[in-house]
Amino acid sequence: MSCLTVIEAGGPHAIIVRGPALEIIDLTSGTSAGTIPTGLAHIDAVAAAEIDGRPIAICLANQRLYVVDLSSGEHLGVTFRGDTPQAIIAGVLAGRPTLIGATGSELRRWDITTGEEIGGPLAVHRAPVLALAMAGPSIVVSADSDGVIHRSDLSTGEEAGEPIHRPGAAVTALAAAETAEGFVLVTGDGSTATLVTGDGSAAHVAEGGPHVSGDGSAGRTIDEVGAVATAVRDGRPILVTLGLDEAVRTHDLPDGTENGPVWADETVSITAVTVAVVNGRPMAISGDGDGTVRRWDLGTLTPIGSPMTGHTSWVRAVATAELDGRVIAVTAADRSLRLWDLTTGVPVTEPIDTRYQTTVLATATWNGLTIAVSLHGDGRTRAWDLATGELAAGPLDEWAGARAFAQAGDVIYAITADHPYDERSGVYDTSEVALRAWDLATGNAIGAPMPGGGQGGSVTWPPITVIDAAGRPVVVSGAGADGVLRVWDLASGASLGERAGHDGQLTAVAATVHEGRLIVATGGEDGTLRVGAVGAVGGGAVGSGGGGGVPAAGHGLRLTGHTGRITSAAIAGTQLVSGSEDGTLRVWDLLTGALQARFRSS
């Protein structure tokens, strides 16, 4: 499936999939022409066309087709009839923008404007079709799992040339063009692109130079290529490649020589966010993908001081604490914990050598000490004395599945992820996820297991937090493959509510109690945030609640604007702070969803 396509509107542009967004790249200048959020977590393929002069993209995601306006990011609501294809490309049939899709071994055509299927299927293959390309507006090129490549005329449904046989070739990417020297086909296997002449012969560039094939036609292979397409620049056909390094390059045809500016993604992700109040000043603290730590004033909505540097790899977690009368940040990266004075931005002590990467981090007070509680890459929990940098407790083997640590009152909790256990059968349900709460001081389990969500998915460390709701610890969880928010009473394990709404899994959660209601913000793989009241807190119970500007039912407020998946979220009063793989930190009004500020990580 191809996550690269081209569109000629306003000059040649490449469109690539970047998480939940589409990046549009000007192939003449090699610069970005815009990033369009789609709200789709997993886009498997993309095609592009124009409807009434308006550029649009067709995205294949969740085994459905979505038509996205490239000017506004709006979903146009076109429903395509029949089976969903596994590969797509766009062309023109009778002057109408047409989507061509492969369903099994057959090719189908749809009117992109209406979603109606045009004619019957084209049955030219005997094996499943893996890749499609256009050779002109109405000639579709298709490659199947047997290495057979066909050219078909969309208007007549007839073949437009003899098949090209490449037995044993796993063709997962395809591009084609007519050049002054003849028809050129480019095939890709997910890592290498091979230029093939019209009769199916190929030539390769080896270490010693170009190898000429038997009939005298010259060609080459291009390594480290994931997807291919063709376009026209300055009146000449060119090859466009999306490299395994996520860079977009252009090449002359038919020889494949690289020619033109290279577009490379230089975004530095924001990987962790927390909040604190420092000398009466509300502040957000963020960690970046390059190890930088930054401070942001939530009152004036401006950066604070210079970036704090020292880490040599991406910041995996950030927490705050009070130590010796100072508010500090604790950051985890490169197998160390670093402590920063949030007033001055300077290190408080030498880094704490943890020997292993830290994946989960929280701060707490315990036996008169200020500690960082952390889960490390060896699967064991440790507590570190932040004043001395010495190990205060651990390593503990019991909580290898820890997903969150939190302190509520005098109790430090660990929330672990495991599988539900059926005592009657003596079997664990490995298809399901169950959270369990533990008292870290005593080592005892608290309450009942909290199941739900389903095992699997692409999120390695699902977001979980614990909040003190009117003296009652509540678990707020984004664990599970189904992308549903779940809230539990920690002491009893009783469910307090659920909320769906994201496409894909949850990647960030944050919660607060506002005017007697539990308000939860979630971020997802789809690059969106949802904010809503899960319930009312009062009389020792959490029940349904409403009012106050935040929805208490449905999916909550939907906040859009991020163009990468959400990595982290935190709440300070009535402000929500979110960090994303798109390299931005955004500040929102928690109650209305209004965007207050947008900062870049670099």
Side-chain angles (χ1 to χ4, degrees):
M1 298 186 186
S2 179
C3 289
L4 164 71
T5 190
V6 296
I7 191 167
E8 301 290 342
H13 290 79
I15 301 173
I16 64 172
V17 175
R18 293 183 62 208
L22 301 176
E23 187 80 31
I24 305 173
I25 300 156
D26 187 318
L27 293 176
T28 301
S29 65
T31 59
S32 174
T35 309
I36 309 300
T38 67
L40 301 171
H42 300 286
I43 302 174
D44 296 314
V46 62
E50 288 188 70
I51 297 179
D52 299 327
R54 178 172 51 171
I56 57 99
I58 306 98
C59 298
L60 175 60
N62 308 314
Q63 298 184 329
R64 288 183 55 192
L65 293 168
Y66 301 83
V67 180
V68 179
D69 187 316
L70 289 176
S71 299
S72 65
E74 176 188 1
H75 288 212
L76 300 185
V78 179
T79 300
F80 291 84
R81 312 299 179 192
D83 295 338
T84 301
Q86 70 264 17
I88 57 174
I89 195 73
V92 177
L93 179 59
R96 300 283 293 175
T98 304
L99 181 70
I100 303 94
T103 57
S105 62
E106 297 180 329
L107 304 182
R108 285 182 157 81
R109 299 156 290 178
W110 291 270
D111 186 310
I112 295 175
T113 306
T114 65
E116 295 294 333
E117 189 169 356
I118 302 170
L122 307 181
V124 295
H125 287 272
R126 296 183 178 180
V129 175
L130 303 180
L132 299 171
M134 297 302 299
S138 61
I139 302 297
V140 63
V141 186
S142 50
D144 65 28
S145 58
D146 287 341
V148 180
I149 300 171
H150 288 272
R151 287 167 283 180
S152 306
D153 189 318
L154 291 179
S155 303
T156 65
E158 301 295 327
E159 290 203 57
E162 292 297 316
I164 298 172
H165 294 269
R166 300 202 63 212
V171 179
T172 58
L174 197 61
E178 288 287 351
T179 72
E181 292 81 1
F183 178 71
V184 176
L185 187 66
V186 184
T187 64
D189 61 6
S191 62
T192 302
T194 303
L195 279 73
V196 183
T197 63
D199 63 357
S201 59
H204 308 267
V205 171
E207 186 175 346
H211 166 73
V212 180
S213 61
D215 66 349
S217 61
R220 64 178 297 179
T221 61
I222 306 171
D223 294 328
E224 303 295 315
V225 171
V228 295
T230 56
V232 176
R233 183 175 63 194
D234 298 328
R236 292 183 57 83
I238 59 171
L239 171 66
V240 185
T241 60
L242 175 61
L244 300 184
D245 59 358
E246 300 186 353
V248 175
R249 298 174 173 86
T250 56
H251 310 256
D252 288 334
L253 288 175
D255 62 7
T257 302
E258 187 175 331
N259 182 12
V262 177
W263 178 87
D265 180 13
E266 298 179 351
T267 300
V268 177
S269 298
I270 291 181
T271 54
V273 167
T274 193
V275 293
V277 176
V278 183
N279 300 324
R281 185 188 204 183
M283 182 185 298
I285 305 96
S286 64
D288 294 353
D290 62 1
T292 303
V293 181
R294 303 173 194 270
R295 297 167 293 160
W296 316 89
D297 191 315
L298 295 178
T300 62
L301 299 176
T302 56
I304 300 173
S306 300
M308 300 181 289
T309 59
H311 284 301
T312 58
S313 67
W314 62 281
V315 178
R316 295 170 178 262
V318 57
T320 61
E322 186 171 326
L323 181 66
D324 298 330
R326 294 180 293 185
V327 180
I328 65 167
V330 183
T331 55
D334 52 40
R335 301 182 182 183
S336 71
L337 298 178
R338 289 179 182 260
L339 281 58
W340 312 88
D341 186 320
L342 288 177
T343 300
T344 64
V346 301
V348 174
T349 63
E350 289 297 312
I352 300 173
D353 181 3
T354 61
R355 294 185 58 195
Y356 302 95
Q357 293 287 10
T358 298
T359 53
V360 181
L361 175 69
T363 56
T365 56
W366 176 71
N367 289 345
L369 304 177
T370 301
I371 61 172
V373 185
S374 52
L375 178 73
H376 295 286
D378 65 346
R380 297 192 286 182
T381 297
R382 294 171 174 84
W384 303 90
D385 182 343
L386 294 179
T388 65
E390 299 296 325
L391 194 63
L396 306 174
D397 296 317
E398 292 87 346
W399 298 286
R403 294 296 179 264
F405 300 112
Q407 185 167 28
D410 295 329
V411 181
I412 302 173
Y413 297 100
I415 308 299
T416 62
D418 205 337
H419 304 295
Y421 179 73
D422 188 330
E423 294 187 359
R424 287 181 295 181
S425 65
V427 175
Y428 284 94
D429 181 0
T430 57
S431 68
E432 188 56 274
V433 174
L435 303 184
R436 197 71 194 263
W438 304 82
D439 183 329
L440 278 177
T442 66
N444 295 328
I446 302 171
M450 298 167 275
Q455 178 69 14
S458 59
V459 178
T460 305
W461 296 99
I464 300 169
T465 191
V466 177
I467 183 172
D468 190 334
R472 182 182 190 183
V474 170
V475 177
V476 180
S477 170
D482 60 1
V484 173
L485 169 73
R486 290 176 171 83
V487 181
W488 287 281
D489 182 294
L490 184 148
S492 67
S495 174
L496 302 176
E498 298 182 357
R499 187 177 75 212
H502 286 277
D503 181 61
Q505 289 181 260
L506 300 187
T507 53
V509 296
T512 189
V513 175
H514 177 75
E515 295 182 352
R517 293 178 307 146
L518 180 63
I519 298 176
V520 180
T522 56
E525 293 180 295
D526 58 4
T528 71
L529 295 141
R530 299 273 181 174
V531 181
V534 176
V537 181
V542 178
S544 61
V550 176
H555 299 329
L557 296 171
R558 184 173 185 264
L559 312 184
T560 62
H562 280 298
T563 56
R565 80 173 185 170
I566 309 300
T567 59
S568 45
I571 295 174
T574 57
Q575 290 175 301
L576 169 64
V577 183
S578 58
S580 169
E581 289 181 349
D582 67 6
T584 68
L585 180 141
R586 294 176 185 246
V587 183
W588 315 79
D589 186 301
L590 181 69
L591 304 182
T592 67
L595 180 65
Q596 296 181 344
R598 174 182 177 273
F599 303 106
R600 289 209 69 85
S601 59
S602 58

